[in-house]
Amino acid sequence: MTNKQQDTNIVETRYQRARILEHHALAQRGVDRSRNQRVVFNTTLQPHWIGKSSRFWYERDSREGKEYRLVDDKVATNEAAFDHAVFAAALARATGKKVDAANLPISQLEITCSPRQIKFSAFGKRWSFVGKNCKQLAVTDSL
């Protein structure tokens, strides 16, 4: 087996593990997919691996809006990547604009875990969220 085939197998295994973790997270919250009468959400999961770690994040859509989840494949955890309400409040303070926690106006996310930091784009600028604060990044910080 070539290195490329091994890498492909590792990614496929991680992807399958992520789907299992998502299923378990829904079950823990009492969501019964067979009885759910909503339009189908999250038919695919796109993992964004954090470096060479066992962690990745992904976007998850629901009736309420969009949620960002953080998975650690090594210890089988699947949790919110950050507190969406705190994030929305921090971005609203920093920009002076109304921000809906269920539909964050963000894109181009980069998440690091030690320390937990989210870099993202919103309102035409690059930002960083750490703790409970958002700050605008200088052009050189955002590259």
Side-chain angles (χ1 to χ4, degrees):
M1 184 179 285
T2 67
N3 285 343
K4 186 173 183 173
Q5 289 170 322
Q6 287 175 336
D7 288 346
T8 299
N9 288 341
I10 289 169
V11 169
E12 287 174 5
T13 301
R14 285 180 163 185
Y15 178 80
Q16 290 168 354
R17 181 74 174 152
R19 296 293 295 175
I20 291 167
L21 291 170
E22 172 67 3
H23 175 74
H24 289 297
L26 289 173
Q28 286 176 340
R29 290 195 310 253
V31 176
D32 181 354
R33 287 186 173 189
S34 65
R35 301 182 75 204
N36 200 341
Q37 297 180 5
R38 63 180 169 85
V39 174
V40 176
F41 293 105
N42 306 306
T43 57
T44 60
L45 181 145
Q46 174 126 19
H48 299 272
W49 292 96
I50 300 172
K52 294 187 183 251
S53 73
S54 62
R55 293 178 172 180
F56 65 89
W57 66 270
Y58 66 98
E59 278 181 38
R60 185 175 162 283
D61 292 318
S62 71
R63 282 187 188 262
E64 294 78 34
K66 191 175 292 190
E67 180 181 27
Y68 296 89
R69 305 288 300 172
L70 180 65
V71 173
D72 190 327
D73 183 47
K74 191 173 187 176
V75 294
T77 58
N78 182 332
E79 61 190 23
F82 50 86
D83 184 320
H84 292 62
V86 170
F87 186 102
L91 185 57
R93 276 192 316 274
T95 63
K97 298 181 186 231
K98 185 176 179 179
V99 178
D100 179 4
N103 293 293
L104 294 169
I106 60 178
S107 63
Q108 299 174 320
L109 268 71
E110 297 172 34
I111 298 178
T112 57
C113 291
S114 295
R116 181 79 53 96
Q117 178 182 28
I118 294 97
K119 289 184 180 178
F120 61 97
S121 293
F123 305 113
K125 298 176 181 166
R126 284 297 285 168
W127 300 88
S128 173
F129 174 71
V130 178
K132 295 182 178 184
N133 298 300
C134 281
K135 71 173 187 173
Q136 185 177 344
L137 296 175
V139 175
T140 57
D141 292 336
S142 62
L143 299 176

